[in-house]
Amino acid sequence: MISFLSSTPIPTTLLLFLLLLIIPTAILTYRVLFPKILKYPWPTNTPPKQDTVVIAGSFNPPHNGHVSMIQHLSKNYKQVIVVIGMNPNKVYKVSPQKRLEILEQILVEKNVKVAIVQGYIWRYAMLHNASTFIRGIRTWEKDGREERSLHILNSWGPLVFGPLKWPLKTVFMEGDTRYLHLSSTIVRNACEKKDNSSDCLRGMVPKHVEKQVFEAYR
Ligand SMILES: *[C@@H]1O[C@H](CO)[C@@H](O)[C@H](O)[C@H]1NC(C)=O
Ligand SMILES: *[C@@H]1O[C@H](CO)[C@@H](O)[C@H](O)[C@H]1NC(C)=O
């Protein structure tokens, strides 16, 4: 009896500890192995979900494919935070500030906010009470492989680096099929051609920012 009493606490603690380790590991591993992918046409939330979502990218520059996604999110969630990720050690040809200016001119929706974030975007998203971290991709077949390491970081980062909160879920949003031929690289290349007119950006970025994008990237 005495030995039973004295030996019980240790196995129980150990068992609890193991469970606390195994269950989150299993869930987070599942999330990485079976990512949630939103295909186009995207589902709608009626009424809009009362959640804040963060969509992150480099938006270098933003183009119509991004705009279509963000406008959809804006109609389907309470708040959308568009995050321009920034590495302070990197020199950018077009600064994140400039990209923010362009995005703010495009995204006039009241519930959309643009922010530049250095460091871990999941930490920023958690501090802003976001429920979901969204990554825009063209298709999972094209971009999924490159997204995986970021996905692992987002899934495990909070548990390793804090704040010690349950990690946000990541959702991969495939592109609007009307703009799948577009990418920021294609827009940049169009600007670098030596012709002297922003007309080369027609259909790639919203018309009212064509000139601004062209001047920034030419
Ligand atoms: C996030 O939620 C906490 C707790 O509800 C609140 O104190 C904080 O102000 C919220 N932060 C933002 C940026 O809304
Ligand atoms: C480009 O266009 C501007 C005005 O639209 C003009 O002043 C300039 O000379 C043109 N430059 C070239 C290289 O064509």
Side-chain angles (χ1 to χ4, degrees), residues 115-181:
I116 298 169
V117 174
Q118 295 186 12
Y120 297 126
I121 296 169
W122 47 260
R123 184 174 284 157
Y124 175 92
M126 286 172 126
L127 292 176
H128 286 76
N129 300 330
S131 67
T132 310
F133 183 80
I134 292 172
R135 284 287 293 173
I137 56 176
R138 284 172 296 172
T139 61
W140 184 254
E141 288 69 33
K142 282 190 174 126
D143 296 328
R145 192 191 294 258
E146 289 168 29
E147 290 293 325
R148 196 142 256 170
S149 52
L150 184 73
H151 191 188
I152 293 172
L153 180 68
N154 285 336
S155 304
W156 289 96
L159 298 184
V160 180
F161 304 109
L164 199 55
K165 285 210 279 183
W166 185 239
L168 297 182
K169 61 176 182 294
T170 301
V171 171
F172 295 94
M173 191 171 182
E174 290 195 344
D176 180 334
T177 46
R178 288 173 298 169
Y179 302 117
L180 280 186
H181 59 286

Side-chain angles (χ1 to χ4, degrees), residues 58-63 66 99 102 183-185 187-188 205 213 217:
S58 47
F59 304 102
N60 190 21
H63 56 68
H66 299 132
R99 286 177 256 150
I102 297 170
S183 70
S184 292
T185 309
V187 179
R188 286 199 302 274
V205 302
V213 172
Y217 286 85

Side-chain angles (χ1 to χ4, degrees), residues 60-144:
N60 190 21
H63 56 68
N64 282 338
H66 299 132
V67 177
S68 172
M69 277 181 191
I70 296 165
Q71 286 176 341
H72 175 85
L73 294 173
S74 140
K75 290 190 196 103
N76 288 278
Y77 291 92
K78 184 169 163 221
Q79 199 195 12
V80 183
I81 307 179
V82 180
V83 166
I84 304 173
M86 174 189 180
N87 175 351
N89 301 319
K90 202 166 149 187
V91 178
Y92 297 98
K93 177 167 182 252
V94 175
S95 68
Q97 284 74 16
K98 182 75 200 172
R99 286 177 256 150
L100 177 136
E101 273 172 38
I102 297 170
L103 272 169
E104 283 185 336
Q105 288 195 30
I106 300 173
L107 301 167
V108 294
E109 291 77 3
K110 282 208 168 53
N111 64 342
V112 177
K113 167 174 137 172
V114 188
I116 298 169
V117 174
Q118 295 186 12
Y120 297 126
I121 296 169
W122 47 260
R123 184 174 284 157
Y124 175 92
M126 286 172 126
L127 292 176
H128 286 76
N129 300 330
S131 67
T132 310
F133 183 80
I134 292 172
R135 284 287 293 173
I137 56 176
R138 284 172 296 172
T139 61
W140 184 254
E141 288 69 33
K142 282 190 174 126
D143 296 328

